[in-house]
């Protein structure tokens, strides 16, 4: 792994990263394919067409179905979904803490019931890393606990301490698995995760602590889970300076285009979020002039594309009126076209951010873009 | 319109047809896009990729949503769905008689309630042709009644006589609309429809009667609605010889690959059926060795494509194991890939039929193909 900062503007970073599955230009938005497929009938071929750099899949979902051992037998997740650029897998922790029933947290890990068939599953740091190793993703995430943004200070302190111990175990486990002969991707990278809810001092202590470990990158987890945007930005302002400058920083589960612009300004490299695909499936589409709801009657006779000048597979050929009709008729094609547009919009936003950073005009670009998006929403 | 029979083998015809939206090589299978979109998230761009010649849309569905006047204002159905090859619209009759509630048939037409919002709608020959003219399809179908295959002889006689009178009114109406200045497609073609349930003599009398009218093509309706395959083939054997040889023959709503091979052998040019898309959405996929159910456990670790040698967007990249996973995880992408494969399979079958007719080897091809498809099903 090679990570090189090419340019900075304030705390914003423009970087280049090399992995065994090809290079990544950051800042980058990862396109979320929970179960090794992007919701909305979007394939790896489509991701190639819309300029996606990194695909993100969910460890928990792939563990319960089809099963990570199945994916390993089929040659790993890259071969499984025929996507040969970088893939990041989350640790499963977030899903365990948000989706699963009857969870029980112990030092060893978490016992919970599958949301598919109720089956009892145990997952700790070693299990999470083993699953991710079976999948063979480019970047594995450490297994962490994501406490509520409203959790008590004492609970958060205890939880963060455990997350640190879990991170140490993840590191040991991945080093061991990467040595094995039958490992799908023996160069699998490991990112650690900073936690601490909205307590800046806990976040900072934790950032310092994990920065001492030789990890391939650092994520900030436990944000965008109910706190305000102002709280989120304050935590980034406080925490990012304590993460290594020469390693990628990933803000998990974030967010709106405006959130991303603000977080890039605070030093973040990697993003992921279900907004573009989820909003697309509901007919909410992004433009540089704000979001449109294509269900609105005003688009019934509108033969313009979703966004003038957009070169995505939806805007190249289809009108708002046609896509609105598809959505109202519950034709899957309507969802597909909106998701393709939204992911293209996010990918293009990141390209523009990188171009602005390259040109040293990111500050201007950010102000203009936020103003423009607010004007029409 | 130009229709030229290039070759015959027994009663089987290989023909070339020219329309204002381009040419059609027959025998041809039309890909069904009920509401101006193929179910399974398939777009007009996809149809181009899989070699579709003719798209079929449903008058009834487009009349109730988005409304044919809306489509006309947007420039017609070709512009609406950005598909510039031929489109055939059905008359709405079949949906009126199968989907709608509380229908009342009179000489003038049919009164029924929309299945969307319960709104009372009247549709007769003039209304159906006006809607199809607003849509601007390449080929309009006459408004007919499709009696049950189990209907009494006396009812069928009465119904067929009314269908003939309705056809005369359709002809008058389309001639009038094609003269109007604001007509979307002033060269819209009209196909008449032969009815008569399973009564060969009624079918023959009706075929003779409508053949005297100067229509652009002739359909055989009211089959594949509950009768046996043997009954259907017997009706084709009896009826097709009484339809003009120098006009295209369209067997509505048919069918399985085997049905199509048998009907081509009996002189049919045009086909349409929801089987490939409906089966695809349920994970049932076609191969030259029979249908596969991708939900079956035997495909869990099967890294072969759906069909070896198939060049469709699914088979070019994805394995049975991956598509099975997508179907089980209820990912829309699974349905999309299966539908794309099935439509490709049907389109390729028709290409092979045309090639065999060109080579004078259709009889052999038909026997071999039926045997092969039965062997593995």
């Amino acid at each position: 792994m090679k990570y090189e900062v090419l340019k900075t503007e304030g705390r914003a970073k423009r970087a280049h990263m090399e992995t065994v599955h090809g290079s990544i230009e950051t800042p980058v938005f990862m396109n979320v394919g929970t179960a090794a497929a992007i919701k909305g009938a979007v394939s790896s071929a489509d991701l190639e067409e819309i300029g996606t750099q990194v695909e993100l899949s969910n460890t928990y979902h792939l563990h319960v179905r089809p099963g990570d051992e199945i994916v390993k037998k089929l040659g790993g997740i890259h071969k499984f979904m025929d996507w040969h650029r970088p893939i990041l897998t989350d640790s499963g922790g977030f899903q365990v803490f948000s989706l699963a029933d009857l969870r029980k947290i112990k030092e060893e890990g978490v016992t919970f019931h599958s949301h598919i068939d109720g089956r009892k599953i145990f997952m700790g740091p070693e299990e999470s890393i083993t699953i991710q190793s079976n999948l063979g993703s480019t970047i594995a995430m450490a297994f962490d606990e994501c406490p509520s943004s409203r959790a008590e200070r004492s609970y958060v302190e205890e939880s963060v301490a455990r997350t640190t111990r879990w991170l140490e175990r993840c590191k040991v486990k991945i080093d061991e698995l990467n040595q094995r002969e039958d490992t799908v991707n023996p160069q699998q990278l490991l990112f650690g995760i900073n936690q601490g809810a909205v307590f800046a001092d806990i976040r900072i202590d934790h950032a310092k602590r994990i920065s001492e470990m030789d990890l391939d990158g650092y994520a900030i987890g436990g944000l965008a889970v109910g706190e305000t945007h102002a709280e989120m930005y304050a935590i980034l302002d406080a925490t990012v300076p304590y993460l290594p400058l020469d390693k990628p920083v990933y803000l998990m589960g974030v967010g709106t285009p405006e959130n991303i612009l603000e977080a890039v300004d605070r030093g973040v490299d990697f993003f992921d979020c279900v907004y573009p695909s989820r909003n697309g499936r509901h007919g909410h589409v992004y433009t540089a002039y704000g979001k449109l709801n294509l269900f609105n009657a005003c688009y019934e006779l509108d033969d313009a594309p979703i966004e003038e000048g957009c070169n995505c597979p939806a805007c190249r050929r289809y009108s708002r009126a046609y896509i609105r009709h598809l959505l109202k008729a519950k034709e899957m094609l309507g969802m597909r076209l909106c998701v393709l547009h939204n992911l293209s919009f996010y990918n293009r936003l990141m390209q523009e951010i990188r171009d602005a950073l390259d040109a040293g005009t990111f500050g201007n670009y950010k102000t203009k873009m936020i103003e423009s998006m607010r004007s029409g929403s």
Side-chain angles (χ1 to χ4, degrees), chain A:
Chain A
M1 197 279 276
K2 191 183 125 188
Y3 174 84
E4 187 186 358
V5 177
L6 304 174
K7 198 121 184 189
T8 56
E9 186 175 332
R11 214 176 288 146
K13 290 194 290 182
R14 165 78 182 89
H16 170 86
M17 181 169 165
E18 273 169 32
T19 78
V20 69
H21 298 113
S23 61
I24 304 167
E25 302 298 329
T26 85
V28 64
F29 179 80
M30 299 184 280
N31 292 191
V32 179
T34 305
I38 282 71
K39 294 201 183 297
V42 172
S43 70
S44 56
D46 295 315
L47 293 187
E48 288 166 9
E49 189 178 350
I50 62 171
T52 300
Q53 295 193 77
V54 185
E55 193 271 347
L56 183 151
S57 282
N58 293 106
T59 287
Y60 167 80
H61 285 98
L62 291 170
H63 174 61
V64 297
R65 188 172 51 200
D68 47 289
E69 310 248 351
I70 298 285
V71 176
K72 183 177 185 180
K73 280 182 192 155
L74 287 161
I77 188 169
H78 284 86
K79 188 163 176 241
F80 188 53
M81 61 188 295
D82 201 42
W83 170 256
H84 301 283
R85 300 178 189 176
I87 295 177
L88 182 143
T89 42
D90 70 356
S91 67
F94 185 77
Q95 279 74 28
V96 167
F97 291 103
S98 61
L99 278 186
D101 283 340
L102 298 171
R103 60 173 198 268
K104 224 167 140 179
I105 310 175
K106 291 191 176 174
E107 184 61 26
E108 267 311 288
V110 188
T111 306
F112 60 96
H113 293 266
S114 152
H115 76 295
I116 306 288
D117 56 9
R119 182 166 59 96
K120 206 169 167 180
I121 303 178
F122 173 80
M123 196 184 284
E126 291 78 11
E127 289 73 19
S128 169
I129 294 296
T130 302
I131 295 167
Q132 295 183 73
S133 178
N134 285 339
L135 298 173
S137 57
T138 316
I139 302 170
M141 296 302 299
F143 187 74
D144 62 333
E145 184 188 345
C146 174
S148 156
S149 65
R150 300 280 164 258
E152 295 286 327
R153 182 178 177 92
S154 60
Y155 183 84
V156 174
E157 278 173 340
E158 202 182 300
S159 162
V160 168
R162 184 166 49 221
T163 285
T164 309
R165 295 190 296 274
W166 284 356
L167 175 56
E168 285 160 352
R169 285 162 54 189
C170 287
K171 182 82 174 76
V172 170
K173 189 68 188 174
I174 200 166
D175 286 346
E176 176 207 324
L177 292 173
N178 279 351
Q179 301 298 322
R180 289 207 193 159
E181 267 195 10
D182 69 336
T183 291
V184 175
N185 172 21
Q187 298 185 59
Q188 191 169 40
L189 307 173
L190 177 66
F191 281 19
I193 304 176
N194 172 262
Q195 290 287 1
V198 290
F199 302 104
D201 60 326
I202 301 180
R203 289 269 180 189
I204 291 169
D205 283 348
H206 191 233
K208 287 181 185 167
R209 176 73 188 82
I210 63 179
S211 295
E212 288 161 13
M213 298 171 64
D214 182 29
L215 300 172
D216 300 301
Y218 291 88
I220 299 171
L223 291 179
V225 293
E227 82 288 357
T228 65
H229 287 170
E231 285 175 306
M232 177 168 82
Y233 300 147
I235 289 296
L236 291 178
D237 282 330
T239 312
V240 176
Y242 293 95
L243 293 172
L245 245 179
D246 61 347
K247 293 285 171 75
V249 174
Y250 164 26
L251 178 56
M252 302 180 83
V254 173
T256 66
E258 187 167 331
N259 292 156
I260 288 175
L261 287 159
E262 293 293 357
V264 164
D265 211 10
R266 290 164 171 85
V268 175
D269 288 278
F270 280 68
F271 298 89
D272 82 285
C273 189
V274 296
Y275 284 169
S277 49
R278 183 178 293 164
N279 278 325
R281 296 201 306 284
H282 292 96
H284 294 215
V285 290
Y286 293 88
T287 79
Y289 306 97
K291 272 213 304 271
L292 313 178
N293 178 351
L294 288 183
F295 277 95
N296 285 345
C298 62
Y299 303 117
E300 189 176 46
L301 287 167
D302 190 339
D303 66 1
I306 294 173
E307 186 171 20
E308 289 291 353
C310 173
N311 192 36
C312 84
C315 291
R316 276 206 307 270
R317 300 193 58 154
Y318 306 106
S319 65
R320 293 170 176 178
Y322 179 58
I323 298 171
R324 176 179 189 271
H325 159 65
L326 297 175
L327 291 165
K328 286 189 71 88
K330 298 189 175 60
E331 285 287 344
M332 281 165 44
L333 180 60
M335 294 197 245
R336 173 172 152 84
L337 293 175
C338 290
V339 172
L340 284 171
H341 171 78
N342 282 354
L343 292 175
S344 295
F345 177 88
Y346 267 71
N347 289 343
R348 195 177 62 225
L349 173 73
M350 303 315 291
Q351 179 66 56
E352 289 176 2
I353 288 173
R354 292 192 298 272
D355 290 347
L357 284 167
D358 283 336
T361 57
F362 172 72
N364 267 345
Y365 173 77
K366 176 191 148 189
T367 309
K368 269 195 188 164
M369 193 66 185
I370 289 176
E371 208 169 281
S372 165
M373 287 188 298
R374 283 182 178 175
S375 71
S377 62

